[in-house]
Amino acid sequence: MPQLHARVQGPLHDAVSEAQSGEPGPTLPEWNLADLYPAPESPALAADIAAAEQEASAFAAELRGHLGELAAGAAASERLAEAVRRYEALQDLLGRIMSYAGLVYAGDTSDPARAKFYGDIQDKITEISTQLLFFQLELNRVDDAALDAAAATPPLSHWKPWLEDIRMEKPYELSDELERLFHEKSVTGRAAWNRLFDETIASLRFSIGGKELTIEPALNLMQDSHEEVRREAALAVGATLKANLRTFALVTNTLAKDKEIGDRWRGFKDVADSRHLSNRVEPEVVEALVASVTAAHPRLSHRYYKLKAKWFGREALDYWDRNAPLPSVPSHVYGWDEARDIVLKAYSGFAPQMAEIASRFFERGWIDAPVRPGKAPGAFAHPTVPSVHPYVLVNFQGKTRDVMTLAHELGHGVHQVLAARQGALMAPTPLTLAETASVFGEMLTFRSLLAQTTETDKKRALLAAKVEDMLNTVVRQIAFYSFERKVHTERKKGELTADKLCELWMSVQSDSLGPAIRLGEGYESFWAYIPHFVHSPFYVYAYAFGDCLVNSLYGVYQKAETGFAERYFGLLEAGGAKPYNELLAPFGLDARDPAFWGIGLEMIEGLIAELEAMEGA
């Protein structure tokens, strides 16, 4: 199934909510899902479900137990290619159905009718897709020499990258019966706990300023220009999360145990090995990234927050001031049209093709922007399936960070549109490169805004906001990864109490943020609302991977005379058809070199030095 590329930074979502002041905002666009299906009860959806059910049954009846025979003889390439073509078409159809249900549900996770629709579709798709599990398992049991010979010539050679990709999973695959059991029970296992988390978060209310707010408006107020508002919001978030820690601790313990069981049966040794495999990245590459970022704490986060505390006239900042706007700098509220124009102008300055693709999201109803009660928090770009197009969800408030979030998610969207030509099996991009286009789009937008800014205070505010975003993306996400490693490692010894989870959280936060940030009471429960820990264990390092990679890539772009945009689009169009090291080679980059990460971190360090120079000027 296609993955959401959701973005969470900090304990602050990138996207912040509307109506923090209580005033109605401008009309913001809501997505039109009709390109998937007209409505949940539409005949088209019912017909596609029936067609998928019938084709999956026929596919299994005809091919189960026969792939070895298809791979033998002179016509093996043609026979296997036809089987893969049918399988890919089924994956596209099932993905279309499930994407629609997921997006309907994301629009209001508190609506019982939507929740039931999502749950029913999930049950049905799981039931149908169970019939298809045999296909990859049997392909991986075909003799290597026979499969290689068949994939060496057309038409099967088209799918050779996918065949090589799934071969990497062969050592960790189980028997057909066990795979079916794991797959069918996922609905009442991990998926059910994911849904409990989502619906719990959506139902929470935070008492701030005499109002009962949902999580997005509450988190947004931690970026308010008034310290008393930030403090009240932070304490309210902490108190409400603490009151619900029993549920969040149960969700975390259950999912960590569920993952441990799956890892043990499949033969994964390290708690993060399954994620590294799905990302198609070597564990030592991730270890080098983590080590480089951790070693850089003193000269990055510790250094910056000390500088920010100085701007506020203090030795240290309370945690609710970490993402506060700079003092004495009037904050600019961006309208939706203004934000759109800023992003499209920045994209166009790099390549008109990039802006043209991004403009489709605005013109064709592919974006959902306003904050609504029950709407999924944060922001994401959903690729859906290659036969349709992506959709973007943001919670737009009009701050600089919201403009950057829009640029980020549209970067994903452009990537997903370009990669769609690879088809349902090879379009999905491993997380090693999934954040490349999003972070690059952000960088283009930041540089464009910075170039237009001449006033020193406003320039400092922009630079500071960018540094904070980069610290949230790199330092904070690696701290999140370290927290997850501790949680999953400790869970092997037994169930973790809520207090223990809070203790582990505080240990990594203190190390990553440094002495200039005071982590006071209430902050210990902030781990509880971060969805990546629930939906995608160990996903978070992909943000740091992508940010450091893009910093290096942007450095190449600044020095390149011609041809960079063409190479860049070639990288995006490849989707998951090539490994990350092969895609980076045309830019002269190698993420497997431990020194590579230092290049990306140096850009953050350079921006901090620029801020320090402005302070001394």
Side-chain angles (χ1 to χ4, degrees):
M1 294 296 105
Q3 295 181 353
L4 301 183
H5 291 296
R7 193 177 187 219
V8 176
Q9 292 192 347
L12 276 167
H13 289 264
D14 289 328
V16 292
S17 66
E18 183 136 22
Q20 67 168 357
S21 63
E23 298 298 325
T27 301
L28 297 172
E30 298 185 22
W31 54 28
N32 175 10
L33 301 179
D35 288 348
L36 290 165
Y37 295 101
E41 65 279 3
S42 70
L45 176 59
D48 274 358
I49 293 172
E53 204 165 18
Q54 183 177 357
E55 170 61 6
S57 179
F59 183 82
E62 294 172 32
L63 295 176
R64 182 184 287 123
H66 299 295
L67 296 188
E69 300 167 25
L70 296 184
S77 181
E78 290 82 0
R79 291 193 298 265
L80 283 175
E82 178 56 27
V84 175
R85 187 178 292 110
R86 289 179 65 185
Y87 178 75
E88 183 171 53
L90 269 167
Q91 293 299 321
D92 192 280
L93 181 56
L94 294 173
R96 182 189 188 113
I97 296 166
M98 197 66 240
S99 295
Y100 178 68
L103 293 174
V104 167
Y105 178 61
D108 185 357
T109 60
S110 65
D111 180 6
R114 294 186 187 218
K116 172 178 166 49
F117 172 66
Y118 176 69
D120 288 347
I121 292 293
Q122 194 171 52
D123 287 348
K124 177 57 69 175
I125 295 304
T126 300
E127 177 188 324
I128 296 171
S129 60
T130 297
Q131 300 183 74
L132 305 177
L133 287 177
F134 79 92
F135 190 65
Q136 178 175 323
L137 297 172
E138 278 196 35
L139 277 175
N140 275 344
R141 292 175 194 143
V142 170
D143 177 73
D144 287 345
L147 190 62
D148 289 345
T153 58
L156 188 62
S157 57
H158 171 74
W159 288 282
K160 185 178 180 182
W162 177 72
L163 294 169
E164 292 174 343
D165 200 46
I166 65 170
R167 218 64 167 175
M168 297 174 69
E169 299 179 14
K170 182 177 180 178
Y172 308 100
E173 290 176 340
L174 305 173
S175 68
D176 288 21
E177 292 76 15
L178 281 174
E179 291 288 358
R180 286 181 58 196
L181 177 64
F182 270 71
H183 189 67
E184 289 191 33
K185 284 187 69 63
S186 66
V187 175
T188 54
R190 171 167 291 279
W193 290 98
N194 283 185
R195 181 173 161 187
L196 173 63
F197 172 85
D198 289 341
E199 294 183 6
T200 301
I201 285 290
S203 70
L204 295 182
R205 294 297 180 267
F206 304 85
S207 182
I208 307 170
K211 298 179 181 179
E212 295 296 311
L213 303 179
T214 57
I215 193 165
E216 281 291 348
L219 292 171
N220 175 58
L221 290 176
M222 289 176 63
Q223 298 179 59
D224 193 88
S225 58
H226 300 93
E227 182 183 1
E228 61 274 17
V229 174
R230 297 194 299 269
R231 180 180 182 276
E232 184 182 2
L235 294 178
V237 169
T240 301
L241 291 175
K242 184 176 182 179
N244 290 271
L245 278 185
R246 184 176 179 182
T247 298
F248 292 124
L250 179 59
V251 169
T252 300
N253 273 286
T254 303
L255 288 174
K257 183 62 178 178
D258 180 79
K259 184 179 184 302
E260 186 273 326
I261 292 170
D263 285 354
R264 177 160 35 87
W265 275 82
R266 294 186 181 283
F268 291 111
K269 302 302 180 186
D270 185 78
V271 293
D273 277 351
S274 59
R275 174 60 66 190
H276 300 331
L277 175 65
S278 68
N279 287 352
R280 302 302 188 249
V281 63
E282 302 86 348
E284 55 270 22
V285 171
V286 179
E287 290 168 11
L289 166 63
V290 172
S292 296
V293 172
T294 303
H297 285 167
R299 63 181 194 272
L300 297 181
S301 50
H302 297 188
R303 177 182 176 186
Y304 173 75
Y305 292 127
K306 182 180 179 181
L307 177 63
K308 186 167 184 177
K310 182 181 178 182
W311 291 333
F312 279 76
R314 301 174 188 171
E315 289 295 317
L317 296 171
D318 290 300
Y319 68 89
W320 51 77
D321 293 329
R322 188 173 62 82
N323 285 291
L326 300 190
S328 304
V329 179
S331 57
H332 178 76
V333 178
Y334 294 89
W336 178 252
D337 290 348
E338 185 182 11
R340 176 199 62 204
D341 292 346
I342 287 170
V343 175
L344 292 182
K345 180 181 178 182
Y347 278 22
S348 181
F350 171 70
Q353 181 187 359
M354 193 171 179
E356 188 279 320
I357 295 172
S359 67
R360 299 176 201 171
F361 287 78
F362 295 97
E363 297 163 1
R364 303 182 187 182
W366 298 356
I367 304 177
D368 194 280
V371 170
R372 299 183 298 271
K375 179 180 172 180
F380 65 70
H382 195 318
T384 75
V385 288
S387 61
V388 191
H389 55 75
Y391 282 94
V392 160
L393 178 146
V394 295
N395 285 277
F396 186 81
Q397 171 62 29
K399 295 187 176 179
T400 302
R401 279 193 174 94
D402 292 299
V403 179
M404 295 302 162
T405 295
L406 183 62
H408 181 101
E409 300 306 338
L410 285 171
H412 279 309
V414 170
H415 194 173
Q416 292 157 0
V417 167
L418 290 169
R421 65 192 66 188
Q422 297 293 343
L425 298 181
M426 294 186 293
T429 306
L431 293 188
T432 44
L433 290 174
E435 295 299 329
T436 303
S438 54
V439 179
F440 193 81
E442 243 186 298
M443 181 64 80
L444 291 172
T445 304
F446 162 70
R447 292 292 182 183
S448 177
L449 273 176
L450 191 65
Q452 299 169 35
T453 304
T454 55
E455 297 176 41
T456 301
D457 284 350
K458 290 183 179 179
K459 190 169 185 177
R460 176 165 45 215
L462 270 177
L463 278 168
K466 182 57 179 174
V467 168
E468 289 177 18
D469 279 345
M470 295 172 95
L471 293 178
N472 284 337
T473 303
V474 178
V475 173
R476 299 277 287 153
Q477 299 301 332
I478 292 301
F480 286 1
Y481 175 72
S482 298
F483 169 70
E484 286 189 278
R485 289 196 63 87
K486 289 188 175 187
V487 168
H488 286 262
T489 301
E490 289 290 321
R491 181 63 180 90
K492 289 184 175 183
K493 304 172 186 176
E495 190 160 312
L496 304 177
T497 64
D499 285 345
K500 182 63 175 179
L501 288 164
C502 292
E503 177 191 325
L504 295 176
W505 169 255
M506 293 296 276
S507 70
V508 300
Q509 295 305 301
S510 178
D511 290 344
S512 65
L513 297 176
I517 299 292
R518 283 191 293 262
L519 301 179
E521 184 178 353
Y523 187 72
E524 70 279 355
S525 59
F526 272 53
W527 60 270
Y529 84 85
I530 298 171
H532 290 76
F533 300 157
V534 174
H535 292 293
S536 308
F538 302 108
Y539 179 108
V540 288
Y541 73 73
Y543 290 116
F545 195 110
D547 199 276
C548 288
L549 189 156
V550 166
N551 288 345
S552 299
L553 196 64
Y554 196 84
V556 175
Y557 166 55
Q558 288 178 310
K559 297 173 184 175
E561 295 181 3
T562 58
F564 181 90
E566 290 76 12
R567 284 179 283 159
Y568 179 73
F569 283 114
L571 183 155
L572 302 187
E573 289 168 353
K578 293 181 180 179
Y580 75 96
N581 53 310
E582 188 177 328
L583 289 171
L584 292 178
F587 303 94
L589 300 175
D590 184 2
R592 295 170 300 180
D593 180 355
F596 170 82
W597 303 112
I599 302 170
L601 297 175
E602 283 170 8
M603 178 174 285
I604 307 176
E605 195 173 358
L607 292 178
I608 297 173
E610 192 172 342
L611 282 167
E612 289 173 334
M614 293 175 71
E615 180 69 14

